[in-house]
Amino acid sequence: MTSHRYASPDVILLDIPGTGAQALRDSFGAAVETRLSTGFDAPGVPRIAAVRHPLVRMARIIAQFRDGESPGAKPRLPGLTWEGALEILENPRTPCDHSRSYPQAQLKACLAPQTHPIRRLHEADHLIRAECFAQDYARAAEACALPMPARIVAHAPLPEMSPEVQARALRFYKRDFEILGYRPDADRPVQPASMPEAPGAQVWDLWPAFFEQRDLRADAAAAALPMPGVPLAPFASSLTGGRRGKTWAGREANLIRHFRKLQPEFADQSRLAHLLGAVIVVMRRVPDCREAHALFSQITDAYASKLAQEMKLRWLVSVCDSFADHGASQAQRAMGIAGSLLANTLKLTETERKIYDIPRPWPPKARWGKGGALFDGMISYWVEKGEMIDLMTARLEAVCAGDPQAGPFTREILARAHRHNTVYRRLVSLAGKPAPPRLDPELQKDLRKLVQELL
């Protein structure tokens, strides 16, 4: 939620969309500073917020997104209906914290309840209700030495909607009605407003650089992250959310922009998983950043098992690489390199297979050849009765159990190797089954010749 700091009058405006706050901005003049989510640490400075009947406010914002905010402006969501807006509001994956910029996320950021913690309404000293603008402004002006209002917010009637739509909207705005003194069937407040209780720590307060979208480069890497020792529970309980996306392998000099472009990879994961990814980015760009190292240790010490289950394999490997490079002990560095080596060896094996091998059905109906010598004294795995995979898995499990910080990530890499279509899973699926017949030698000869001619 945007906050504006003014010098004259010396006030802070908590700018809630769709409430008539534009009239206050016009009255106060140019702000000296604006913040998107984190608010201001300014004890003693009065805070003013405009509020409005929740359904009137919702109708106003829907119209702005459907028709454009001004004549000739391009609509952000043309054809938007009440039902469509409610579907976006009710979708827990769509964030309302300004972390994503696609239109549906922008709509939810605007439509989020006025009593939602991100609005910071609990900080307000004065509420100016759109329906009682002149009276409420006069009281605030007397207390805060405000100028004459530039204009008065016009009264708006209640919007028309079906009973089903109204019931859904009332569920979403239940606290707004209860706290701000409104009633669904009355176009003016029916009782005095109160203030919502102050919430606990919120991720946008704990990671201000990210949610304020600051421009921070490698020379200010520590400032791009939360402070070491930050409470992690809010990050662990918050969903990164937003639209899912493919792996992004690009690079932005602006660290915050880089962190934001990583979000689609973490859409189904906690904000803590995204934060750990951001920490790893800083550790790679600025290897001696002490704050990043402290956060990496704090996060993996407290939430290793949770994050190992959540994160995609690419990021499990990045965590293991970080342990290999910066582990607290030689044993922890060895644990990291074990996970990284396992995953990257599989990556090479499956890359060669994907690019250069001819696709074949699985399980195979025939064998091309037989086992035997491979290279440097190594012999092939006995697919039908071999124990190597089981023994290696047991050894790695035992070693991982001894390191609760790095071990869960290496253990999960091994679990993914068995879960997905890799050489581990394919060969394990053949264990205990009769070997398929070998191809006829003459057919092998013809196929080999054909392959050599083509490839």
Side-chain angles (χ1 to χ4, degrees), residues 63 213 390:
Q213 303 180 35
D390 290 339

Side-chain angles (χ1 to χ4, degrees), residues 122-181:
H122 58 280
E123 297 179 357
D125 300 298
H126 304 279
L127 291 185
I128 297 178
R129 296 163 295 181
E131 299 81 7
C132 317
F133 186 90
Q135 305 94 303
D136 288 352
Y137 189 94
R139 283 192 289 269
E142 184 177 355
C144 305
L146 302 181
M148 290 291 292
R151 57 188 174 86
I152 302 298
V153 176
H155 175 260
L158 293 176
E160 295 183 2
M161 65 190 75
S162 70
E164 294 78 15
V165 165
Q166 185 182 72
R168 290 170 67 186
L170 295 185
R171 284 195 295 271
F172 197 81
Y173 291 116
K174 184 174 184 291
R175 292 186 74 246
D176 277 13
F177 281 105
E178 292 174 350
I179 293 174
L180 300 180

Side-chain angles (χ1 to χ4, degrees), residues 158-405:
L158 293 176
E160 295 183 2
M161 65 190 75
S162 70
E164 294 78 15
V165 165
Q166 185 182 72
R168 290 170 67 186
L170 295 185
R171 284 195 295 271
F172 197 81
Y173 291 116
K174 184 174 184 291
R175 292 186 74 246
D176 277 13
F177 281 105
E178 292 174 350
I179 293 174
L180 300 180
Y182 291 101
R183 211 170 62 197
D185 58 352
D187 61 359
R188 296 181 183 276
V190 295
Q191 60 188 34
S194 56
M195 299 296 180
E197 294 183 4
Q202 304 291 319
V203 292
W204 45 83
D205 292 323
L206 301 175
W207 195 1
F210 178 78
F211 288 95
E212 289 296 325
Q213 303 180 35
R214 296 173 186 164
D215 185 352
L216 297 170
R217 312 297 171 109
D219 58 353
L225 298 171
M227 293 286 290
V230 65
L232 297 178
F235 293 91
S237 60
S238 299
L239 182 70
T240 300
R243 290 174 174 168
R244 301 179 184 91
K246 296 180 180 179
T247 297
W248 180 68
R251 180 185 177 94
E252 289 280 355
N254 179 344
L255 286 167
I256 300 303
R257 190 176 296 157
H258 190 103
F259 299 163
R260 290 176 73 86
K261 287 190 174 182
L262 292 176
Q263 288 184 109
E265 294 185 58
F266 295 91
D268 297 315
Q269 301 164 40
S270 67
R271 181 61 73 179
L272 186 62
H274 175 237
L275 173 59
L276 182 56
V279 169
I280 290 171
V281 170
V282 172
M283 291 172 70
R284 290 190 177 179
R285 294 201 191 180
V286 189
D288 60 350
C289 180
R290 290 177 294 178
E291 293 82 358
H293 286 271
L295 271 173
F296 180 83
S297 180
Q298 179 187 354
I299 293 169
T300 55
D301 184 54
Y303 287 96
S305 295
K306 169 184 169 60
L307 293 173
Q309 295 292 321
E310 283 187 41
M311 299 178 87
K312 293 182 179 179
L313 184 56
R314 140 171 154 94
W315 287 100
L316 294 180
V317 176
S318 293
V319 173
C320 285
D321 286 341
S322 299
F323 277 116
D325 293 338
H326 308 290
S329 65
Q330 189 65 31
Q332 195 169 76
R333 291 193 287 274
M335 176 65 67
I337 199 63
S340 180
L341 185 62
L342 170 61
N344 284 317
T345 301
L346 285 172
K347 180 177 181 177
L348 294 174
T349 301
E350 301 304 326
T351 297
E352 182 187 36
R353 176 173 172 264
K354 181 181 179 66
I355 296 175
Y356 299 111
D357 280 2
I358 297 174
R360 61 187 184 271
W362 202 267
K365 298 177 182 178
R367 292 177 293 151
W368 182 267
K370 63 178 181 178
L374 296 175
F375 59 89
D376 201 19
M378 183 175 285
I379 61 173
S380 60
Y381 177 58
W382 189 5
V383 176
E384 292 78 31
K385 296 185 179 181
E387 298 178 319
M388 183 193 73
I389 294 177
D390 290 339
L391 293 174
M392 185 179 66
T393 298
R395 291 189 184 104
L396 192 58
E397 288 278 1
V399 173
C400 289
D403 188 338
Q405 196 169 1

Side-chain angles (χ1 to χ4, degrees), residues 32-73:
V32 296
E33 187 178 355
T34 293
R35 295 188 179 177
L36 296 178
S37 302
T38 60
F40 292 93
D41 183 13
V45 178
R47 287 164 166 79
I48 298 172
V51 296
R52 194 173 220 152
H53 191 289
L55 299 182
V56 173
R57 174 175 169 268
M58 186 176 183
R60 183 179 181 85
I61 293 171
I62 289 174
Q64 289 175 344
F65 274 75
R66 182 190 63 226
D67 306 326
E69 296 190 35
S70 60

